[in-house]
Amino acid sequence: MILSIGEILADMIGEKENGNTVYRMFCGGAPFNVAFNAAKSGAKTAFIGNVGDDVIGRELKSIAQNTPIGDVRIGLDRERNTTLAFVSVSEKGERDFTFFRKGTADYNLDADAIDLSEYEGLEIVHLGSLMFSEKEGRRFASKIIKKVKDGKYLLSIDANFRMDLYDSVEEAVEAYKPFIEKADILKFSDDEILDYTGAESIEKGAESLVKPGRLLAVTMGNKGSMLWFDGKKYIVPPSEAVEPVDTTGAGDAFYGALLARIDEKGYRNLTIGDVIKAFEYANKKGGEATLHKGAIQL
């Protein structure tokens, strides 16, 4: 089983209509997207998040409760608004994000209210990284990771390294590093790993993050993905070429599919053959996610 914890938010995706930019609301948030895609790939999943008790938050909660995710626990925060991400999409489908999240609900979660032993068959706890940019979020993440390690579960983190939420690259790295170091399953994009490590190449950046017992994934867009497993590097080519409509959530689709296949086999039982097949499947699902607007397709 996979438990995903972190932000669920509204992706406000802009489109030009008659000379104006019109925003349409889509359900998003990386850890929610991961849970959704893992469930779509057949995994038993659960999600914990927090939204404002407002019109957008209530709509997001309603949407989430009608997805394949088996156990959805989303709080309605009466003191804070729902987090919004305004997204502009280029003609090639590439995205640019602007977040509205000062004092919002996504990172204000109660770690003491979460009992991991309630989740039967739990193996992987996936933790969203957007919360790392806030003191309250880092405090929550530290408490959850202690529970994960004490319970001998696997910790999964998709870096989603967003420097725009910090005053400097150095501040961002300092915020992320304590949590990245503890991950058993770790994902970066090619751009993110260069920014985070400061390395001159993806390979050098990845090498600095390799450690015993860790599975490291690096997505590389139309070049497929790179993985490090048992101390060795493998390149997994893309399944097929696609013409992207919107790349929002493609990495989440990849990672949710990957975690589902890992959970199916059991992380501690994985062979390199299992891992490569999982990456091939994840590449396919990541590509398919670019063929529609929004991060998820209900």
Side-chain angles (χ1 to χ4, degrees), residues 33-124:
N33 297 339
V34 167
F36 175 87
N37 284 287
K40 290 275 283 187
S41 292
K44 183 180 179 183
T45 59
F47 174 76
I48 296 173
N50 198 38
V51 295
D53 189 5
D54 49 43
V55 63
I56 295 177
R58 291 189 292 272
E59 175 71 10
L60 292 176
K61 183 170 182 176
S62 175
I63 292 170
Q65 290 173 331
N66 288 282
T67 65
I69 302 172
D71 186 342
V72 175
R73 305 185 189 188
I74 298 175
L76 287 175
D77 194 324
R78 294 185 177 182
E79 297 181 3
R80 303 172 181 89
N81 292 119
T82 302
T83 305
L84 308 178
F86 288 88
V87 188
S88 61
V89 183
S90 72
E91 291 182 0
K92 294 183 179 180
E94 296 300 326
R95 314 143 303 148
D96 186 26
F97 284 87
T98 299
F99 286 95
F100 177 79
R101 64 184 297 266
K102 292 187 183 299
T104 50
D106 76 87
Y107 54 88
N108 283 283
L109 295 156
D110 184 3
D112 295 333
I114 297 174
D115 182 357
L116 298 181
S117 67
E118 292 182 12
Y119 297 91
E120 184 178 354
L122 180 62
E123 181 178 23
I124 299 171

Coordinates of all heavy atoms in Angstrom, one line a residue, residues 33-124:
N33 N -1.6 14.0 -7.0 CA -1.5 13.5 -8.4 C -0.8 12.1 -8.3 O -1.1 11.2 -9.1 CB -0.7 14.4 -9.3 CG -1.3 15.7 -9.5 OD1 -2.5 15.9 -9.3 ND2 -0.5 16.7 -9.9
V34 N 0.3 12.0 -7.5 CA 1.0 10.7 -7.4 C 0.0 9.6 -6.8 O 0.0 8.5 -7.4 CB 2.2 10.9 -6.5 CG1 2.8 9.5 -6.1 CG2 3.3 11.7 -7.2
A35 N -0.7 9.9 -5.8 CA -1.7 9.0 -5.3 C -2.7 8.6 -6.3 O -3.1 7.4 -6.5 CB -2.4 9.5 -4.0
F36 N -3.2 9.5 -7.1 CA -4.2 9.3 -8.1 C -3.6 8.3 -9.2 O -4.2 7.3 -9.6 CB -4.6 10.6 -8.8 CG -5.6 10.4 -9.9 CD1 -6.9 10.3 -9.8 CD2 -5.1 10.4 -11.2 CE1 -7.8 10.2 -10.8 CE2 -5.9 10.2 -12.3 CZ -7.3 10.1 -12.1
N37 N -2.4 8.6 -9.7 CA -1.8 7.8 -10.7 C -1.4 6.5 -10.2 O -1.5 5.5 -11.0 CB -0.7 8.6 -11.3 CG -1.1 9.7 -12.2 OD1 -1.6 9.5 -13.4 ND2 -1.0 10.9 -11.8
A38 N -1.0 6.4 -9.0 CA -0.7 5.0 -8.4 C -2.0 4.2 -8.4 O -1.9 3.0 -8.7 CB 0.0 5.2 -7.1
A39 N -3.0 4.8 -8.0 CA -4.3 4.1 -7.9 C -4.8 3.7 -9.3 O -5.3 2.5 -9.5 CB -5.4 5.0 -7.2
K40 N -4.6 4.6 -10.3 CA -5.0 4.2 -11.6 C -4.2 3.1 -12.2 O -4.6 2.3 -13.1 CB -4.8 5.4 -12.5 CG -5.8 6.6 -12.3 CD -7.1 6.4 -13.1 CE -6.9 6.7 -14.6 NZ -8.2 6.7 -15.3
S41 N -3.0 2.9 -11.6 CA -2.1 1.8 -12.1 C -2.3 0.5 -11.2 O -1.6 -0.4 -11.3 CB -0.7 2.2 -12.0 OG -0.4 3.2 -13.0
G42 N -3.4 0.5 -10.4 CA -3.8 -0.7 -9.7 C -3.3 -0.8 -8.2 O -3.6 -1.8 -7.6
A43 N -2.6 0.2 -7.7 CA -2.1 0.1 -6.3 C -3.2 0.5 -5.3 O -4.1 1.3 -5.6 CB -0.9 1.1 -6.2
K44 N -3.1 -0.1 -4.2 CA -3.9 0.3 -3.0 C -3.3 1.6 -2.5 O -2.1 1.6 -2.1 CB -4.0 -0.8 -2.0 CG -4.9 -0.5 -0.8 CD -4.9 -1.6 0.2 CE -5.7 -1.3 1.4 NZ -5.7 -2.4 2.4
T45 N -4.1 2.7 -2.4 CA -3.6 4.0 -2.1 C -4.4 4.7 -1.1 O -5.6 4.4 -0.9 CB -3.4 4.9 -3.3 OG1 -4.7 5.0 -3.9 CG2 -2.5 4.3 -4.4
A46 N -3.8 5.7 -0.4 CA -4.5 6.6 0.5 C -3.8 7.9 0.4 O -2.7 8.1 0.0 CB -4.4 6.1 2.0
F47 N -4.6 9.0 0.7 CA -4.1 10.4 0.6 C -4.5 11.2 1.8 O -5.6 11.1 2.3 CB -4.5 11.0 -0.7 CG -4.2 12.5 -0.7 CD1 -2.9 12.8 -1.1 CD2 -5.1 13.5 -0.5 CE1 -2.5 14.2 -1.1 CE2 -4.7 14.8 -0.5 CZ -3.4 15.2 -0.8
I48 N -3.6 12.0 2.3 CA -3.9 12.9 3.4 C -3.5 14.3 3.0 O -2.3 14.5 2.5 CB -3.1 12.6 4.7 CG1 -3.6 11.2 5.2 CG2 -3.3 13.6 5.8 CD1 -2.7 10.7 6.4
G49 N -4.4 15.3 3.1 CA -4.1 16.7 2.7 C -5.0 17.6 3.4 O -5.8 17.3 4.3
N50 N -4.9 18.9 3.1 CA -5.6 20.0 3.8 C -6.0 21.1 2.8 O -5.1 21.5 2.0 CB -4.8 20.5 4.9 CG -5.6 21.3 5.9 OD1 -6.8 20.9 6.2 ND2 -5.1 22.4 6.5
V51 N -7.2 21.5 2.8 CA -7.7 22.6 1.9 C -8.4 23.6 2.8 O -8.8 23.3 3.9 CB -8.6 22.1 0.8 CG1 -7.8 21.2 -0.2 CG2 -9.8 21.4 1.3
G52 N -8.7 24.8 2.3 CA -9.5 25.7 3.0 C -11.0 25.4 2.9 O -11.4 24.7 2.0
D53 N -11.7 25.8 3.9 CA -13.2 25.6 3.9 C -13.8 26.7 3.1 O -14.5 27.6 3.6 CB -13.7 25.6 5.3 CG -15.2 25.2 5.4 OD1 -15.7 24.8 4.4 OD2 -15.7 25.2 6.5
D54 N -13.5 26.7 1.8 CA -14.0 27.7 0.8 C -14.5 27.0 -0.4 O -14.4 25.7 -0.5 CB -12.9 28.7 0.5 CG -11.6 28.0 0.1 OD1 -11.6 27.0 -0.7 OD2 -10.5 28.5 0.5
V55 N -15.0 27.7 -1.4 CA -15.7 27.1 -2.5 C -14.7 26.2 -3.3 O -15.1 25.1 -3.8 CB -16.3 28.2 -3.4 CG1 -15.3 29.1 -4.0 CG2 -17.2 27.5 -4.5
I56 N -13.5 26.6 -3.4 CA -12.5 25.8 -4.2 C -12.1 24.6 -3.4 O -12.0 23.5 -3.9 CB -11.3 26.7 -4.5 CG1 -11.7 27.8 -5.5 CG2 -10.2 25.8 -5.2 CD1 -10.6 28.7 -5.9
G57 N -11.8 24.8 -2.1 CA -11.4 23.6 -1.3 C -12.5 22.6 -1.2 O -12.2 21.4 -1.3
R58 N -13.7 23.0 -1.0 CA -14.8 22.0 -1.0 C -15.0 21.3 -2.3 O -15.3 20.1 -2.4 CB -16.1 22.7 -0.6 CG -16.1 23.2 0.9 CD -17.5 23.6 1.3 NE -17.9 24.8 0.6 CZ -17.7 26.1 1.0 NH1 -17.0 26.3 2.2 NH2 -18.1 27.1 0.4
E59 N -14.7 22.0 -3.4 CA -14.8 21.3 -4.7 C -13.7 20.3 -4.9 O -13.9 19.2 -5.4 CB -14.7 22.4 -5.8 CG -14.7 21.9 -7.2 CD -16.0 21.2 -7.7 OE1 -17.0 21.4 -7.0 OE2 -15.9 20.6 -8.8
L60 N -12.5 20.7 -4.5 CA -11.3 19.8 -4.6 C -11.6 18.5 -3.7 O -11.3 17.4 -4.2 CB -10.1 20.5 -4.1 CG -9.5 21.6 -5.0 CD1 -8.3 22.2 -4.3 CD2 -9.2 21.1 -6.4
K61 N -12.1 18.7 -2.5 CA -12.4 17.5 -1.7 C -13.4 16.6 -2.3 O -13.3 15.4 -2.3 CB -12.8 18.0 -0.3 CG -13.1 16.8 0.7 CD -13.3 17.3 2.1 CE -13.5 16.1 3.0 NZ -13.6 16.6 4.4
S62 N -14.4 17.2 -2.9 CA -15.4 16.4 -3.6 C -14.9 15.6 -4.8 O -15.1 14.4 -4.9 CB -16.6 17.3 -4.1 OG -17.5 16.6 -4.8
I63 N -14.0 16.3 -5.5 CA -13.3 15.6 -6.7 C -12.5 14.4 -6.2 O -12.5 13.3 -6.7 CB -12.5 16.6 -7.5 CG1 -13.4 17.6 -8.2 CG2 -11.6 15.9 -8.5 CD1 -12.6 18.8 -8.8
A64 N -11.7 14.7 -5.1 CA -10.8 13.7 -4.6 C -11.5 12.5 -4.1 O -11.0 11.3 -4.2 CB -9.9 14.3 -3.5
Q65 N -12.7 12.7 -3.5 CA -13.4 11.5 -3.0 C -14.1 10.7 -4.0 O -14.6 9.7 -3.7 CB -14.4 12.1 -1.9 CG -13.8 12.6 -0.7 CD -14.8 13.3 0.3 OE1 -15.8 13.8 -0.2 NE2 -14.5 13.2 1.6
N66 N -14.0 11.2 -5.3 CA -14.6 10.4 -6.4 C -13.6 10.0 -7.4 O -13.8 10.0 -8.6 CB -15.7 11.3 -7.1 CG -16.9 11.4 -6.2 OD1 -17.8 10.5 -6.1 ND2 -17.1 12.5 -5.5
T67 N -12.4 9.7 -6.9 CA -11.3 9.1 -7.7 C -11.0 7.7 -7.2 O -11.6 7.2 -6.3 CB -10.0 10.0 -7.5 OG1 -9.6 9.8 -6.1 CG2 -10.3 11.5 -7.8
P68 N -10.1 7.0 -7.9 CA -9.8 5.6 -7.5 C -9.0 5.5 -6.2 O -8.8 4.4 -5.8 CB -8.9 5.1 -8.7 CG -9.2 6.0 -9.9 CD -9.5 7.3 -9.2
I69 N -8.5 6.6 -5.7 CA -7.8 6.6 -4.4 C -8.7 6.0 -3.3 O -9.8 6.4 -3.1 CB -7.3 8.0 -4.0 CG1 -6.4 8.6 -5.0 CG2 -6.6 7.9 -2.6 CD1 -6.1 10.0 -4.8
G70 N -8.2 4.9 -2.7 CA -9.1 4.2 -1.8 C -9.5 4.8 -0.5 O -10.6 4.7 0.0
D71 N -8.6 5.6 0.1 CA -8.8 6.2 1.4 C -8.3 7.7 1.3 O -7.2 8.0 1.2 CB -8.0 5.5 2.5 CG -8.3 6.0 3.9 OD1 -8.8 7.1 4.0 OD2 -7.9 5.2 4.8
V72 N -9.3 8.6 1.3 CA -9.0 10.0 1.1 C -9.4 10.8 2.4 O -10.5 10.7 2.9 CB -9.8 10.7 0.0 CG1 -9.6 12.2 -0.1 CG2 -9.4 10.0 -1.4
R73 N -8.4 11.4 3.0 CA -8.6 12.2 4.3 C -8.1 13.6 4.1 O -6.9 13.9 4.1 CB -7.9 11.5 5.4 CG -8.3 10.0 5.6 CD -7.7 9.4 6.8 NE -7.9 8.0 6.9 CZ -7.6 7.2 7.9 NH1 -7.1 7.7 9.0 NH2 -7.8 5.9 7.8
I74 N -9.1 14.5 3.7 CA -8.7 15.9 3.5 C -9.4 16.8 4.5 O -10.7 16.8 4.6 CB -9.1 16.3 2.0 CG1 -8.4 15.4 1.0 CG2 -8.9 17.7 1.8 CD1 -8.8 15.6 -0.4
G75 N -8.7 17.6 5.2 CA -9.2 18.5 6.2 C -9.8 19.7 5.5 O -9.3 20.2 4.5
L76 N -10.8 20.3 6.1 CA -11.3 21.6 5.7 C -10.9 22.6 6.7 O -11.4 22.6 7.9 CB -12.9 21.5 5.5 CG -13.4 20.8 4.3 CD1 -14.9 20.7 4.4 CD2 -13.0 21.4 3.0
D77 N -10.0 23.5 6.4 CA -9.4 24.5 7.3 C -10.3 25.8 7.3 O -10.3 26.5 6.3 CB -8.0 24.8 6.9 CG -7.2 25.5 7.9 OD1 -7.7 26.3 8.6 OD2 -6.0 25.2 8.0
R78 N -10.9 26.1 8.4 CA -11.7 27.3 8.5 C -10.9 28.6 8.6 O -11.4 29.7 8.5 CB -12.7 27.2 9.7 CG -13.7 26.1 9.5 CD -14.7 26.1 10.6 NE -15.7 25.1 10.4 CZ -16.8 24.9 11.2 NH1 -16.9 25.6 12.3 NH2 -17.7 23.9 10.9
E79 N -9.6 28.5 8.9 CA -8.8 29.7 9.2 C -7.9 30.0 8.0 O -7.4 31.2 7.9 CB -7.8 29.4 10.4 CG -8.6 29.2 11.7 CD -7.6 28.9 12.8 OE1 -6.4 29.0 12.6 OE2 -8.1 28.7 14.0
R80 N -7.8 29.1 7.0 CA -6.9 29.4 5.9 C -7.5 29.1 4.6 O -8.4 28.2 4.5 CB -5.6 28.5 6.0 CG -4.9 28.7 7.4 CD -3.8 27.7 7.6 NE -3.1 27.9 8.8 CZ -3.5 27.4 10.0 NH1 -4.5 26.6 10.0 NH2 -2.8 27.6 11.1
N81 N -7.1 29.7 3.5 CA -7.6 29.5 2.2 C -6.9 28.3 1.5 O -5.8 27.9 1.9 CB -7.5 30.8 1.3 CG -8.3 31.9 1.8 OD1 -7.8 32.9 2.2 ND2 -9.6 31.7 1.8
T82 N -7.6 27.8 0.4 CA -7.0 26.8 -0.4 C -5.9 27.3 -1.2 O -5.9 28.5 -1.7 CB -8.1 26.2 -1.3 OG1 -9.2 25.7 -0.5 CG2 -7.5 25.1 -2.2
T83 N -4.8 26.6 -1.4 CA -3.7 27.0 -2.2 C -4.0 26.9 -3.7 O -4.7 26.0 -4.2 CB -2.5 26.0 -1.9 OG1 -2.2 26.0 -0.5 CG2 -1.2 26.4 -2.6
L84 N -3.5 27.9 -4.4 CA -3.8 28.0 -5.8 C -2.4 28.1 -6.6 O -1.5 28.7 -6.1 CB -4.5 29.3 -6.2 CG -5.8 29.6 -5.5 CD1 -6.4 30.9 -5.9 CD2 -6.8 28.5 -5.7
A85 N -2.4 27.4 -7.7 CA -1.2 27.5 -8.6 C -1.6 28.0 -9.9 O -2.4 27.3 -10.6 CB -0.5 26.1 -8.7
F86 N -1.2 29.2 -10.3 CA -1.6 29.7 -11.6 C -0.5 29.2 -12.6 O 0.7 29.4 -12.4 CB -1.6 31.2 -11.6 CG -2.8 31.8 -10.9 CD1 -2.7 32.0 -9.5 CD2 -4.0 32.0 -11.5 CE1 -3.8 32.4 -8.8 CE2 -5.1 32.5 -10.8 CZ -5.0 32.7 -9.5
V87 N -1.0 28.6 -13.7 CA -0.1 27.9 -14.7 C -0.3 28.5 -16.1 O -1.4 28.5 -16.6 CB -0.4 26.4 -14.7 CG1 0.6 25.7 -15.6 CG2 -0.5 25.8 -13.3
S88 N 0.8 28.9 -16.7 CA 0.7 29.3 -18.1 C 1.4 28.2 -18.9 O 2.4 27.6 -18.5 CB 1.4 30.6 -18.3 OG 2.8 30.6 -18.0
V89 N 0.8 27.9 -20.0 CA 1.3 26.8 -20.9 C 1.7 27.3 -22.2 O 0.9 28.0 -22.9 CB 0.2 25.7 -21.0 CG1 0.7 24.5 -21.8 CG2 -0.3 25.2 -19.7
S90 N 2.9 27.0 -22.6 CA 3.4 27.5 -23.9 C 2.8 26.7 -25.1 O 2.1 25.7 -24.8 CB 4.9 27.4 -24.0 OG 5.3 26.0 -24.1
E91 N 3.1 27.1 -26.3 CA 2.6 26.4 -27.5 C 3.1 24.9 -27.5 O 2.5 24.1 -28.1 CB 2.9 27.1 -28.7 CG 2.2 28.4 -28.9 CD 2.5 29.1 -30.2 OE1 3.3 28.6 -31.0 OE2 1.9 30.2 -30.5
K92 N 4.3 24.7 -26.9 CA 4.9 23.4 -26.9 C 4.4 22.6 -25.7 O 4.9 21.4 -25.5 CB 6.4 23.5 -26.9 CG 6.9 24.1 -28.2 CD 8.5 24.1 -28.2 CE 9.0 24.6 -29.5 NZ 10.5 24.7 -29.5
G93 N 3.5 23.1 -24.9 CA 3.0 22.4 -23.7 C 3.8 22.6 -22.4 O 3.5 21.9 -21.4
E94 N 4.9 23.4 -22.5 CA 5.7 23.6 -21.3 C 5.0 24.6 -20.3 O 4.3 25.5 -20.8 CB 7.1 24.1 -21.6 CG 7.9 23.1 -22.5 CD 8.1 21.8 -21.7 OE1 8.3 21.8 -20.5 OE2 8.1 20.7 -22.4
R95 N 5.2 24.4 -19.0 CA 4.5 25.2 -18.0 C 5.4 26.2 -17.3 O 6.6 26.0 -17.1 CB 3.9 24.2 -17.0 CG 3.2 23.0 -17.5 CD 3.4 21.8 -16.6 NE 4.8 21.5 -16.4 CZ 5.3 21.0 -15.3 NH1 4.6 20.7 -14.3 NH2 6.6 20.8 -15.3
D96 N 4.7 27.2 -16.7 CA 5.3 28.2 -15.8 C 4.4 28.4 -14.7 O 3.2 28.7 -14.9 CB 5.6 29.5 -16.6 CG 6.4 30.4 -15.7 OD1 7.1 30.0 -14.8 OD2 6.3 31.6 -15.9
F97 N 4.8 28.2 -13.4 CA 3.9 28.3 -12.3 C 4.1 29.6 -11.5 O 5.2 30.1 -11.3 CB 4.3 27.1 -11.3 CG 3.8 25.8 -11.8 CD1 4.5 25.0 -12.6 CD2 2.5 25.3 -11.3 CE1 4.1 23.7 -13.0 CE2 2.1 24.0 -11.7 CZ 2.9 23.3 -12.6
T98 N 3.0 30.1 -10.9 CA 3.0 31.1 -9.9 C 2.1 30.7 -8.8 O 0.9 30.4 -9.1 CB 2.5 32.5 -10.5 OG1 3.4 32.9 -11.5 CG2 2.5 33.5 -9.4
F99 N 2.6 30.5 -7.6 CA 1.8 30.0 -6.5 C 1.2 31.1 -5.6 O 1.8 32.2 -5.4 CB 2.7 29.2 -5.5 CG 3.0 27.8 -6.1 CD1 4.2 27.6 -6.8 CD2 2.1 26.7 -6.0 CE1 4.5 26.4 -7.3 CE2 2.4 25.5 -6.5 CZ 3.6 25.3 -7.2
F100 N -0.1 30.9 -5.2 CA -0.7 31.8 -4.3 C -0.9 30.9 -3.0 O -1.8 30.1 -2.9 CB -2.1 32.2 -4.8 CG -2.9 33.0 -3.8 CD1 -2.6 34.4 -3.6 CD2 -3.9 32.4 -3.0 CE1 -3.4 35.1 -2.6 CE2 -4.6 33.1 -2.1 CZ -4.3 34.5 -1.9
R101 N 0.1 31.1 -2.1 CA 0.1 30.2 -0.9 C 0.7 30.8 0.3 O 1.3 30.1 1.1 CB 0.7 28.8 -1.2 CG 2.2 28.9 -1.6 CD 2.8 27.6 -2.0 NE 2.7 26.6 -0.9 CZ 3.7 26.3 -0.1 NH1 4.8 27.0 -0.1 NH2 3.6 25.3 0.8
K102 N 0.5 32.1 0.6 CA 1.0 32.7 1.8 C -0.1 32.4 2.9 O -1.2 33.0 2.8 CB 1.3 34.2 1.6 CG 2.4 34.4 0.7 CD 2.8 35.9 0.7 CE 3.9 36.2 -0.3 NZ 5.1 35.5 0.0
G103 N 0.3 31.6 3.9 CA -0.6 31.3 5.0 C -1.8 30.5 4.6 O -2.8 30.5 5.2
T104 N -1.6 29.7 3.5 CA -2.7 28.8 3.0 C -2.7 27.5 3.7 O -1.9 27.2 4.5 CB -2.7 28.7 1.5 OG1 -1.4 28.3 1.1 CG2 -3.1 30.0 0.8
A105 N -3.6 26.6 3.3 CA -3.9 25.4 4.0 C -3.0 24.2 3.8 O -2.8 23.4 4.6 CB -5.4 25.0 3.7
D106 N -2.3 24.2 2.6 CA -1.7 22.9 2.2 C -0.6 22.4 3.1 O -0.5 21.2 3.3 CB -1.1 23.1 0.8 CG 0.2 23.9 0.7 OD1 1.3 23.2 0.9 OD2 0.1 25.1 0.5
Y107 N 0.2 23.3 3.8 CA 1.2 22.8 4.6 C 0.9 22.9 6.1 O 1.7 22.5 7.0 CB 2.5 23.6 4.4 CG 2.3 25.1 4.5 CD1 2.5 25.8 5.7 CD2 2.0 25.9 3.4 CE1 2.3 27.1 5.9 CE2 1.9 27.3 3.5 CZ 2.0 27.9 4.7 OH 1.8 29.3 4.8
N108 N -0.3 23.2 6.4 CA -0.8 23.3 7.8 C -1.5 21.9 8.2 O -2.7 21.9 8.2 CB -1.7 24.5 8.1 CG -0.8 25.7 8.2 OD1 -0.2 26.0 9.2 ND2 -0.8 26.5 7.1
L109 N -0.7 20.9 8.4 CA -1.2 19.6 8.7 C -0.8 19.2 10.1 O 0.2 19.7 10.7 CB -0.6 18.6 7.7 CG -1.1 18.8 6.3 CD1 0.0 18.2 5.3 CD2 -2.4 18.1 6.0
D110 N -1.5 18.3 10.7 CA -1.3 17.8 12.1 C -0.6 16.4 12.1 O -1.3 15.4 11.9 CB -2.6 17.8 12.9 CG -2.4 17.5 14.4 OD1 -1.2 17.3 14.8 OD2 -3.4 17.4 15.1
A111 N 0.7 16.4 12.3 CA 1.4 15.1 12.3 C 0.9 14.2 13.4 O 0.9 12.9 13.3 CB 2.9 15.3 12.4
D112 N 0.6 14.8 14.6 CA 0.2 14.0 15.7 C -1.2 13.2 15.5 O -1.4 12.2 16.2 CB 0.0 14.9 17.0 CG 1.4 15.5 17.4 OD1 2.4 14.9 17.1 OD2 1.3 16.6 18.0
A113 N -1.9 13.7 14.5 CA -3.2 13.1 14.2 C -3.1 11.9 13.3 O -4.1 11.2 12.9 CB -4.2 14.1 13.7
I114 N -1.9 11.7 12.7 CA -1.7 10.6 11.7 C -1.1 9.4 12.4 O 0.0 9.5 12.9 CB -0.8 11.1 10.6 CG1 -1.5 12.3 9.9 CG2 -0.5 10.0 9.6 CD1 -0.6 13.0 8.8
D115 N -1.8 8.3 12.3 CA -1.3 7.0 12.8 C -1.0 6.1 11.6 O -2.0 5.5 11.0 CB -2.3 6.4 13.8 CG -1.9 5.1 14.4 OD1 -0.8 4.6 14.1 OD2 -2.7 4.6 15.2
L116 N 0.2 5.8 11.3 CA 0.5 5.0 10.1 C 0.1 3.6 10.3 O -0.1 2.9 9.3 CB 2.0 5.1 9.9 CG 2.6 6.5 9.5 CD1 4.1 6.4 9.3 CD2 1.9 7.1 8.4
S117 N 0.0 3.1 11.5 CA -0.4 1.7 11.7 C -1.9 1.5 11.3 O -2.3 0.3 11.2 CB -0.2 1.3 13.2 OG -1.1 2.0 14.1
E118 N -2.7 2.5 11.1 CA -4.0 2.3 10.7 C -4.1 1.8 9.2 O -5.2 1.3 8.8 CB -4.8 3.7 10.7 CG -5.0 4.2 12.1 CD -5.8 5.5 12.1 OE1 -6.4 5.8 11.0 OE2 -5.9 6.2 13.1
Y119 N -3.1 2.0 8.5 CA -3.1 1.6 7.0 C -2.6 0.2 6.8 O -1.4 0.0 6.8 CB -2.3 2.6 6.2 CG -2.9 4.0 6.4 CD1 -2.5 4.9 7.4 CD2 -3.9 4.5 5.5 CE1 -3.0 6.2 7.5 CE2 -4.4 5.7 5.6 CZ -4.0 6.6 6.6 OH -4.5 7.8 6.7
E120 N -3.5 -0.7 6.6 CA -3.2 -2.1 6.5 C -2.3 -2.4 5.2 O -2.6 -1.9 4.1 CB -4.4 -3.0 6.4 CG -4.2 -4.5 6.4 CD -5.5 -5.3 6.3 OE1 -6.5 -4.7 6.5 OE2 -5.4 -6.5 6.2
G121 N -1.2 -3.1 5.4 CA -0.3 -3.4 4.3 C 0.5 -2.3 3.8 O 1.1 -2.3 2.7
L122 N 0.6 -1.2 4.6 CA 1.4 0.0 4.2 C 2.9 -0.4 4.0 O 3.5 -1.0 4.9 CB 1.3 1.1 5.2 CG 2.0 2.4 4.9 CD1 1.5 3.0 3.7 CD2 1.9 3.4 6.1
E123 N 3.4 0.0 2.9 CA 4.9 -0.2 2.6 C 5.6 1.1 2.3 O 6.7 1.4 2.8 CB 5.1 -1.2 1.5 CG 6.6 -1.4 1.2 CD 6.9 -2.4 0.1 OE1 6.0 -2.6 -0.8 OE2 8.0 -2.9 0.1
I124 N 4.9 2.0 1.5 CA 5.5 3.2 1.0 C 4.8 4.4 1.5 O 3.6 4.5 1.3 CB 5.6 3.3 -0.5 CG1 6.4 2.1 -1.1 CG2 6.2 4.6 -1.0 CD1 6.3 1.9 -2.6

